[in-house]
Amino acid sequence: MAPRTPPPQEVTAWRPTVPGVTEVFHAHFTEYAYPMHVHEAWTLLIVDDGAVRYDLDRHEHGTPDDTVSLLPPHVPHNGSPATPGGFRKRVLYLDGTHLGDELIGPAVDGPDLRDPVLRLRVGQLHTALTRPGEEFEAESRLTLIGDRLRTLLRPRSYGEPARRDPALARRLRELLDERVVEGLSLEAAAATVQAHPAHLVRAFSSAYGIAPHQYLTSRRVDRARRLLLAGSGPAEVAALTGFHDQAHLTRHFKRLVGVTPGRYRVSARRSTEGARPVIVGD
């Protein structure tokens, strides 16, 4: 009888250029079980398929449904599949930028957080981290995740309602308007306006109904439209408007305008020649 071939394991890992994130780790394990070990960083874990069973501080825990698990640094834990098909997980390893040592105790006591808002935000952050050019969005989402985690772990300390600050929001909008093409990091913006990054994102979103990274992307798309109408090609426009590359421009342009930059440019040229407009889906 031939030996059974072990099932394939899928792993992708990288270190993004986003302050606070030391590693991103995506994996699909069917049978592999982690032995007891520790990490220097915080471990923020979501499971997209299946479930994980693990021991932390000699207590058993699990990751059912929409749980977000936060494992503190230097605390031993293991991990193994809790479902027949194994599990598919996405993990962020975070330094102490957003989570201080005072949260280690609460995280040990309650590492599995059933919070739909947090689960949504962590998923959105993973999506941003897989896309070149979305570092500003990733920073903003990570800041709000840290803020949410502190609220959940220390509700009496962090549970106060968000404070409106229209003057601060206006200062950030002016800063973004000045740097539409060059862009800037959330860390640099917070230092410039002398505000905590989480408060800065919340103040802007509250004042304008849109996140700072969405505002900056909208401004860039507006510039791209003008350049495309003037006859510039998509690759050149991407470079002139602050996008990482043409694919980055195309993704956001189609989402906000409804067509690709190339179709938009062709439709403008046809319109000036008196031809019929290009219909989406043609």
Side-chain angles (χ1 to χ4, degrees):
M1 182 176 177
R4 185 172 68 90
T5 302
Q9 316 294 346
E10 301 173 14
V11 169
T12 304
W14 71 97
R15 181 165 190 169
T17 57
V18 175
V21 182
T22 63
E23 183 185 334
V24 184
F25 184 75
H26 294 179
H28 179 204
F29 292 135
T30 53
E31 295 182 355
Y32 177 71
Y34 289 95
M36 294 299 292
H37 63 286
V38 299
H39 293 291
E40 185 178 359
W42 289 86
T43 303
L44 188 63
L45 164 72
I46 58 175
V47 175
D48 297 310
D49 187 37
V52 178
R53 180 186 298 110
Y54 68 94
D55 297 302
L56 178 75
D57 195 38
R58 293 172 291 189
H59 291 84
E60 186 173 320
H61 300 276
T63 61
D65 302 322
D66 58 352
T67 301
V68 177
S69 295
L70 179 68
L71 311 183
H74 309 300
V75 179
H77 60 277
N78 58 9
S80 60
T83 48
F87 58 88
R88 189 180 299 275
K89 69 175 183 177
R90 289 181 287 173
V91 184
L92 297 172
Y93 294 101
L94 309 175
D95 64 21
T97 302
H98 299 280
L99 301 170
D101 289 347
E102 75 279 0
L103 297 177
I104 291 178
V108 169
D109 293 338
D112 298 320
L113 305 168
R114 300 291 297 274
D115 184 77
V117 172
L118 177 63
R119 179 62 174 78
L120 175 64
R121 288 179 178 174
V122 174
Q124 291 171 328
L125 174 56
H126 274 283
T127 299
L129 289 169
T130 62
R131 294 173 171 173
E134 305 294 2
E135 290 78 13
F136 186 45
E137 175 183 351
E139 276 193 273
S140 298
R141 295 201 182 282
L142 178 58
T143 294
L144 293 179
I145 287 169
D147 194 52
R148 187 75 177 180
L149 287 169
R150 291 191 297 272
T151 298
L152 292 170
L153 294 172
R154 300 288 295 274
R156 283 179 290 184
S157 300
Y158 295 95
E160 299 85 1
R163 179 168 54 88
R164 292 182 178 273
D165 197 336
L168 179 64
R170 184 171 59 253
R171 289 168 63 195
L172 177 57
R173 187 185 66 181
E174 293 169 350
L175 185 61
L176 294 174
D177 287 341
E178 292 169 2
R179 304 197 50 164
V180 170
V181 177
E182 310 95 302
L184 77 168
S185 68
L186 181 61
E187 187 177 26
T192 300
V193 300
Q194 298 183 329
H196 189 279
H199 177 55
L200 185 58
V201 174
R202 288 197 307 267
F204 190 96
S205 301
S206 175
Y208 299 114
I210 188 173
H213 70 270
Q214 294 172 317
Y215 177 82
L216 182 61
T217 298
S218 298
R219 291 296 317 278
R220 287 174 170 173
V221 168
D222 275 348
R223 290 197 177 194
R225 294 175 76 150
R226 293 197 296 270
L227 291 170
L228 291 165
L229 290 177
S232 298
E236 180 186 8
V237 169
L240 292 173
T241 52
F243 287 98
H244 179 75
D245 54 22
Q246 184 175 340
H248 188 204
L249 165 66
T250 298
R251 182 169 66 250
H252 287 292
F253 195 95
K254 186 174 182 180
R255 182 173 58 85
L256 292 177
V257 183
V259 294
T260 65
R263 274 188 172 273
Y264 184 83
R265 180 170 178 259
V266 170
S267 70
R269 187 166 60 245
R270 288 186 179 182
S271 179
T272 59
E273 295 168 354
R276 71 178 182 89
V278 174
I279 306 299
V280 179
D282 269 9

